[in-house]
Amino acid sequence: MVAAAFIGPGTVTTASVTGARFGYALVWTIAFSIVATIVLQEMSARLGLVSREGLGEALREQFDNPALSGLSIALVVSAIGIGTAAYETGNILGGAAGLEGLTGISANLWGPAMGLVAGVLLWSGKYKLIEKALVGLVSIMAVSFLIDAVLIGPDLGALARGFVPSVPQGSAFLITGLIGTTVVGYNLFLHAGSVQERWAGPEELHESRADTVLSIVLGGFITISILVTAAAAFPVGTNIQNVSTMAEQLEPLVGTQAKVFFGIGLFAAGFTSATTAPLAGAYATAGALGWDTDLQSTKFRAVWGSILLVGIVFSAVGYSPVQAIVFAQVANGVLLPIVAVFLIYVMNDRDILGSYANSTLQNVVGGLVTLVVVWLGLRTLYTVAADMGVF
């Protein structure tokens, strides 16, 4: 479920834009993101398995002071609400753009239709059905890029050098976006809730960890393969402005049918994330407010329905898919530190986790990951403000 959530149009778009503009130079960012995601998602899964609570519920119970409790709830609801709403617009626009490339019918018509179908799937309230549908669709997109990354013949030397951290001029915005498309704040809430549907309790923590690591590493390889295909297909410095340009990176694999295959993959990626973003927002909001997090609960459905509605409305208006999707990744990169700090705080509560609370090593590693994402978030805010002439 978590892998399906972060392999969306944001992954395809941001990795493609980055590869086209900076070649292989920012591969290290994805490598860091894989490690950071494993660290934080493992904590989230452990919390859900041991406490049988979501991250939202756990945060709500942390503070005895009503003011602090209210502030934490407000931060969670607003951060996740903004993040999932921004993502949902990009998710639906991305998937609709893929369908437009296949059919010639406007994405402004496909967007609302796709949102409604996602709503029907969520309304079913059947976790296994939702999970199977998402994994199947992600597989379609994953196979295309993994094969193409091999066939396109990347520069292996340049690819290896890309794992050495560097920050090329003008890349800060996209670095935060790449991290934002992998280390997704709302996925921490989604994971803590969804593991309770799949695993029985802490005795299955080993299986849960193996599942988490395997899924995230595979997702990271997919992201790298997308960046690699763009870096090899376009001259360094290319600015991708539309979906048709992105599709060109598949030409080494499928020739003149590149737009068709890319459209299928982009739709699959968009639909999976358009389903998981509202679900994650519902887990976070309902948990923080003390509502029932059952998939068939009326309030739970009201939350994901509201987030889905935002995406449907904005997709009908006609924003640029590329710009909306990249903005969503950067918004998440800025909001992520708030969620990460809360997660580490909760994971040190031995009253609810007992011997499963964070060790010193887990706190150190989690703290380092959080410091990096805080620094990147602040750097991005500074860069955006400078571009706007604030400084």
Side-chain angles (χ1 to χ4, degrees), residues 14 21 170-178 326-327 330 380 383-384 387:
T14 308
R21 285 192 60 187
S171 67
F173 194 77
L174 285 173
I175 288 175
T176 307
L178 276 176
V326 173
F327 170 77
V330 176
T380 299
T383 301
V384 172
D387 290 342

Side-chain angles (χ1 to χ4, degrees), residues 98-178:
L99 289 175
E100 180 179 21
L102 290 171
T103 65
I105 299 173
S106 173
N108 302 134
L109 297 177
W110 276 122
M114 194 175 77
L116 291 173
V117 174
V120 170
L121 182 60
L122 288 172
W123 188 269
S124 72
K126 297 178 180 178
Y127 175 82
K128 292 295 183 182
L129 174 64
I130 296 170
E131 183 180 56
K132 288 178 180 178
L134 300 183
V135 171
L137 287 168
V138 167
S139 299
I140 295 172
M141 187 268 296
V143 169
S144 296
F145 280 106
L146 287 172
I147 294 175
D148 195 46
V150 175
L151 294 182
I152 201 168
D155 182 336
L156 297 181
L159 177 59
R161 291 191 294 273
F163 284 94
V164 179
S166 64
V167 184
Q169 181 71 28
S171 67
F173 194 77
L174 285 173
I175 288 175
T176 307
L178 276 176

Side-chain angles (χ1 to χ4, degrees), residues 333 337-338 341 369-379:
I338 299 172
V341 168
V369 167
T370 302
L371 286 175
V372 172
V373 297
V374 167
W375 175 76
L376 288 170
L378 291 175
R379 182 180 177 122

Side-chain angles (χ1 to χ4, degrees), residues 123 286 291-304:
W123 188 269
W291 297 346
D292 188 356
T293 54
D294 182 87
L295 269 66
Q296 298 184 10
S297 164
T298 299
K299 290 182 178 179
F300 190 86
R301 284 173 166 170
V303 177
W304 65 249

Side-chain angles (χ1 to χ4, degrees), residues 61-311:
E61 297 169 0
Q62 285 302 300
F63 305 103
D64 295 327
N65 186 302
L68 290 177
S69 178
L71 178 61
S72 67
I73 292 171
L75 282 173
V76 168
V77 173
S78 61
I80 298 303
I82 293 170
T84 52
Y87 260 91
E88 190 63 7
T89 300
N91 292 334
I92 292 179
L93 281 170
L99 289 175
E100 180 179 21
L102 290 171
T103 65
I105 299 173
S106 173
N108 302 134
L109 297 177
W110 276 122
M114 194 175 77
L116 291 173
V117 174
V120 170
L121 182 60
L122 288 172
W123 188 269
S124 72
K126 297 178 180 178
Y127 175 82
K128 292 295 183 182
L129 174 64
I130 296 170
E131 183 180 56
K132 288 178 180 178
L134 300 183
V135 171
L137 287 168
V138 167
S139 299
I140 295 172
M141 187 268 296
V143 169
S144 296
F145 280 106
L146 287 172
I147 294 175
D148 195 46
V150 175
L151 294 182
I152 201 168
D155 182 336
L156 297 181
L159 177 59
R161 291 191 294 273
F163 284 94
V164 179
S166 64
V167 184
Q169 181 71 28
S171 67
F173 194 77
L174 285 173
I175 288 175
T176 307
L178 276 176
I179 293 175
T181 194
T182 309
V183 195
V184 184
Y186 69 68
N187 270 353
L188 299 174
F189 292 86
L190 177 64
H191 205 180
S194 64
V195 291
Q196 299 174 46
E197 303 281 348
R198 186 171 186 182
W199 312 102
E203 64 276 5
E204 295 184 312
L205 183 57
H206 178 74
E207 290 86 350
S208 174
R209 280 173 172 162
D211 179 74
T212 297
V213 172
L214 178 62
S215 299
I216 293 170
V217 169
L218 177 59
F221 274 118
I222 294 170
T223 307
I224 289 175
S225 72
I226 295 170
L227 187 150
V228 164
T229 59
F234 302 112
V236 173
T238 300
N239 286 314
I240 292 178
Q241 299 293 337
N242 55 62
V243 173
S244 295
T245 304
M246 276 194 287
E248 293 175 10
Q249 63 193 285
L250 281 180
E251 288 183 357
L253 176 63
V254 292
T256 58
Q257 297 298 311
K259 290 184 179 179
V260 173
F261 279 82
F262 191 85
I264 294 172
L266 193 58
F267 159 71
F271 187 81
T272 57
S273 295
T275 305
T276 52
L279 190 60
Y283 273 123
T285 302
L289 295 176
W291 297 346
D292 188 356
T293 54
D294 182 87
L295 269 66
Q296 298 184 10
S297 164
T298 299
K299 290 182 178 179
F300 190 86
R301 284 173 166 170
V303 177
W304 65 249
S306 299
I307 295 170
L308 188 59
L309 181 61
V310 170

